[in-house]
């Protein structure tokens, strides 16, 4: 009888020990999975601009968030001011397309730091400004935007024969169109310069065609993007200077100079931005997005591939994966930091 009881007790103890060991292993596995995939079970909604050339950096961010276990929904697309509002209201969770200076007004009007979080600089050192073809610049000694106040200079860039220079400008809703309009007024160019706005890349295609035909051209652009690879600075085109910094918000103390030239626009940085509640509830995603960074030259090079025909969504996703492979150690360090942010 005693031996039978001892055997039963031994079996019970074995079962309890095995159960405890299994439980410990299970908890360890769960903890390990949580550390590796901290976003598992969490849906995340990106919101991007409608500009296909800016999708590349978004795909790099999406790939990292998926590696962290997040279920990333199809990105919403809209203009920048609406993008900020959507993030503020919680209709989307993150973007990697907020310009710190250019979109400052949009950011403030959407709620600012009360509802949004700026996580990090995705692309530092972004340039904007006005350029003309180098041949015309050198022939007529044109160095300043205000040289266009002279009717004889403005007429050199007159594409529609109305006597005014035609400036290829900015899409409504981008933010840069507000700066251009302000500059035309502030520098006294209203009588000699037309700001042509609409579909920017269609307008630039026409501008490039006119350049290839030997005509003089005047346009606004920013770097990074493919145009800088087609109309190359100091080979095909040159930047125009402004006499002094004069911005719509009155914040004229920001840096607007590049290589000794005052370009009139803030030397900017493109940032990751998140809904504040989402950022606080998802430290791994916030940490990862704070670290994602690519160079302006890398995005310009990818944009040029798109201009040369590799422009499908499949192509863009492949470009993102190729960039990740070429920068694997850095990319893995971002993921590691995000996994320890918990």
């Amino acid at each position: 009888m005693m031996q039978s009881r001892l055997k039963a007790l031994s079996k019970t103890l074995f079962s309890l020990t095995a159960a405890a060991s299994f439980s410990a292993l299970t908890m360890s596995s769960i903890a390990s999975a949580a550390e590796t995939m901290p976003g598992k079970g969490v849906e995340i909604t990106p919101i991007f601009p409608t500009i296909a050339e800016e999708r590349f950096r978004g795909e790099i961010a999406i790939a990292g968030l998926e590696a962290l276990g997040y279920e990333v929904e199809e990105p919403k697309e809209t203009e920048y001011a609406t993008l900020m509002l959507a993030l503020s209201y919680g209709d989307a969770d993150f973007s990697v397309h907020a310009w710190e200076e250019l979109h400052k007004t949009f950011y403030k009007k959407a709620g600012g730091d009360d509802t949004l979080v700026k996580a990090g600089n995705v692309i530092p050192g972004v340039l904007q400004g006005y350029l003309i073809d180098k041949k015309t610049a050198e022939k007529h000694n044109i160095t300043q935007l205000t040289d266009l106040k002279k009717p004889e200079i403005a007429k050199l860039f007159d594409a529609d024969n109305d006597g005014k220079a035609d400036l290829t400008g900015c899409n409504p809703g981008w933010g840069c169109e507000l700066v251009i309009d302000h500059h035309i007024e502030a520098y006294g160019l209203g009588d000699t310069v037309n700001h042509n706005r609409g579909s920017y890349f269609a307008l630039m295609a026409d501008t490039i065609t006119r350049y290839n035909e030997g005509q003089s051209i005047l346009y606004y652009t920013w770097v990074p993007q493919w145009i800088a690879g087609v109309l190359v600075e100091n080979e095909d085109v040159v930047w125009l200077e402004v006499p002094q910094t004069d911005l719509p918000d009155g914040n004229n103390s920001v840096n607007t100079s590049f290589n000794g030239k005052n370009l009139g626009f803030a030397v900017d940085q493109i940032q990751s931005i998140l809904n504040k509640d989402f950022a606080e509830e998802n430290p791994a995603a916030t940490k990862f997005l704070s670290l994602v960074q690519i160079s302006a030259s890398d995005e310009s090079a990818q944009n040029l591939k798109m201009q040369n025909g590799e422009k499908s969504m499949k192509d863009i996703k492949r470009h993102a994966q190729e960039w990740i492979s070429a920068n694997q150690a850095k990319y893995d360090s971002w993921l590691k930091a995000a996994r320890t942010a918990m």
Side-chain angles (χ1 to χ4, degrees):
M1 179 69 72
M2 181 62 71
Q3 189 174 6
S4 176
R5 288 180 178 179
L6 287 172
K7 284 183 178 180
L9 180 60
S10 176
K11 286 182 179 180
T12 300
L13 290 171
F14 177 81
S15 297
L16 290 171
T17 302
S21 297
F22 178 77
S23 178
L25 286 169
T26 301
M27 293 302 292
S28 176
S29 297
I30 292 171
S32 177
E35 290 174 0
T36 305
M37 306 283 277
K40 189 171 179 60
V42 179
E43 293 183 356
I44 182 169
T45 303
I47 188 164
F48 299 156
T50 57
I51 307 168
E53 287 79 3
E54 297 193 352
R55 185 62 178 261
F56 170 62
R57 75 185 85 126
E59 289 301 322
I60 292 172
I62 287 172
L65 291 167
E66 288 179 338
L68 294 170
Y70 288 94
E71 183 181 331
V72 183
E73 301 294 308
E74 182 64 22
K76 297 181 177 182
E77 292 188 346
T78 188
E79 297 298 348
Y80 296 101
T82 309
L83 180 153
M84 295 286 188
L85 287 170
L87 288 169
S88 180
Y89 294 154
D91 294 332
D93 300 311
F94 85 95
S95 187
V96 285
H97 297 87
W99 293 50
E100 184 177 24
E101 294 296 334
L102 185 63
H103 297 153
K104 184 176 287 185
T105 300
F106 297 161
Y107 181 83
K108 289 180 178 178
K109 287 184 176 180
D113 295 340
D114 291 336
T115 58
L116 301 167
V117 170
K118 294 179 178 180
N121 293 333
V122 182
I123 305 180
V126 180
L127 301 177
Q128 304 172 78
Y130 307 102
L131 296 103
I132 63 171
D133 61 286
K134 187 178 179 181
K135 181 179 70 173
T136 303
E138 292 179 345
K139 182 177 180 179
H140 297 276
N141 193 31
I142 303 169
T143 60
Q144 298 274 335
L145 184 66
T146 48
D147 288 338
L148 294 163
K149 292 171 71 172
K150 303 172 186 175
E152 67 274 19
I153 297 296
K155 192 168 178 57
L156 298 170
F157 305 95
D158 181 10
D160 57 8
N161 296 315
D162 68 350
K164 289 186 175 184
D166 286 289
L167 166 64
T168 301
C170 219
N171 281 34
W174 283 5
C176 40
E177 83 282 6
L178 304 176
V179 182
I180 296 171
D181 286 345
H182 177 79
H183 282 168
I184 288 175
E185 181 179 354
Y187 302 134
L189 298 168
D191 292 335
T192 55
V193 176
N194 283 325
H195 176 194
N196 296 336
R197 69 195 82 202
S199 176
Y200 176 79
F201 291 105
L203 291 172
M204 279 306 304
D206 179 65
T207 302
I208 292 168
T209 297
R210 286 192 284 111
Y211 173 76
N212 289 336
E213 292 173 348
Q215 299 181 48
S216 302
I217 58 170
L218 165 68
Y219 65 98
Y220 159 88
T221 200
W222 70 95
V223 180
Q225 57 134 313
W226 62 267
I227 288 168
V230 175
L231 297 173
V232 180
E233 179 192 351
N234 293 330
E235 291 182 20
D236 304 301
V237 294
V238 293
W239 294 102
L240 290 180
E241 294 186 78
V242 299
Q244 70 279 330
T245 302
D246 196 325
L247 295 171
D249 62 3
N251 183 20
N252 297 327
S253 62
V254 298
N255 177 29
T256 57
S257 294
F258 171 70
N259 285 347
K261 286 187 175 183
N262 187 343
L263 303 185
F265 290 79
V267 177
D268 221 328
Q269 42 271 329
I270 299 172
Q271 299 181 314
S272 297
I273 185 169
L274 298 87
N275 171 271
K276 190 171 185 176
D277 290 340
F278 177 86
E280 291 174 350
E281 293 166 7
N282 293 274
T286 303
K287 184 65 176 179
F288 176 75
L289 291 169
S290 75
L291 296 172
V292 172
Q293 187 172 105
I294 64 176
S295 68
S297 59
D298 281 353
E299 181 151 301
S300 290
Q302 186 275 337
N303 281 187
L304 190 55
K305 290 180 182 178
M306 292 178 66
Q307 176 64 13
N308 290 334
E310 298 179 29
K311 57 185 178 182
S312 71
M313 187 52 62
K314 184 177 179 181
D315 288 328
I316 297 171
K317 289 178 181 290
R318 174 172 52 79
H319 296 159
Q321 290 299 324
E322 289 170 350
W323 186 93
I324 290 168
S325 295
N327 297 271
Q328 196 69 57
K330 178 167 60 176
Y331 177 79
D332 288 345
S333 73
W334 300 342
L335 293 175
K336 183 179 179 181
R339 288 176 177 128
T340 58
M342 301 297 289

